[in-house]
Amino acid sequence: MSTHDAAPAASDAPVRFDTKIAVLLREDLETWQRLNVTAFLVSGLGAQFPDVIGEPYEDADAVGYLPMFRQPVLVFEGTKETLTNAHARVLSRSLPRALFTSDLFTTGNDRDNRAAVRAVPTAGLDLVGLAVYGPKNAVDKVLKGARMHP
């Protein structure tokens, strides 16, 4: 079984995953920023790891809906220091990650977003959000010091 597969489960037992999708937000963000940053951070996972996406949905009238992640996205918060430490740990573990910096609130498109990140050295990034995907224990170690978002 790969790290992307759900653990085997009886048909009536809840599905357990050996991987985790987690977002860490800086605690001083406004509500709209938290939502925006979370959406942006997880948007690349499906393209990079198609097996995190489940099957399409359909209601009782056979109206179809897009597929979504097959596992929960856990959202955490922490201080700027917590985010900086998590960023260092995710890099040292070479886990798949996405970042959102404060500069991205001032840009209006993908090209400018990438240019804003590229203009700042790794140690100077003003992180406001970080997403990470990987084995549960490794993700938990990256998020050390963070708390679940209220």
Side-chain angles (χ1 to χ4, degrees):
M1 172 171 62
S2 80
T3 59
H4 305 296
D5 295 332
S11 61
D12 59 344
V15 176
R16 303 277 184 222
F17 297 96
D18 58 355
T19 58
K20 184 181 271 189
I21 299 170
V23 172
L24 174 57
L25 302 171
R26 204 165 74 193
E27 64 187 1
D28 61 349
L29 296 180
E30 305 232 2
T31 301
W32 73 267
Q33 291 173 317
R34 290 171 186 256
L35 297 170
N36 183 269
V37 169
T38 300
F40 268 93
L41 286 173
V42 298
S43 67
L45 273 174
Q48 191 70 32
F49 299 99
D51 55 332
V52 300
I53 304 296
E55 296 296 319
Y57 286 73
E58 184 176 283
D59 66 24
D61 295 323
V63 175
Y65 302 92
L66 294 172
M68 297 185 283
F69 290 131
R70 62 182 183 88
Q71 66 187 89
V73 175
L74 302 172
V75 181
F76 297 82
E77 70 174 6
T79 63
K80 184 174 183 171
E81 181 182 23
T82 302
L83 220 60
T84 299
N85 292 337
H87 185 241
R89 288 191 291 266
V90 77
L91 294 177
S92 73
R93 288 172 171 74
S94 300
L95 291 172
R97 69 255 172 203
L99 61 75
F100 199 102
T101 66
S102 63
D103 295 330
L104 302 187
F105 290 126
T106 64
T107 60
N109 61 73
D110 187 50
R111 182 188 66 239
D112 291 343
N113 286 350
R114 288 192 315 277
V117 172
R118 186 180 306 275
V120 180
T122 304
L125 294 169
D126 185 19
L127 298 168
V128 298
L130 182 69
V132 59
Y133 172 67
K136 284 167 95 173
N137 62 345
V139 172
D140 289 342
K141 288 176 183 174
V142 165
L143 297 173
K144 183 179 178 183
R147 59 191 173 280
M148 286 294 291
H149 190 281

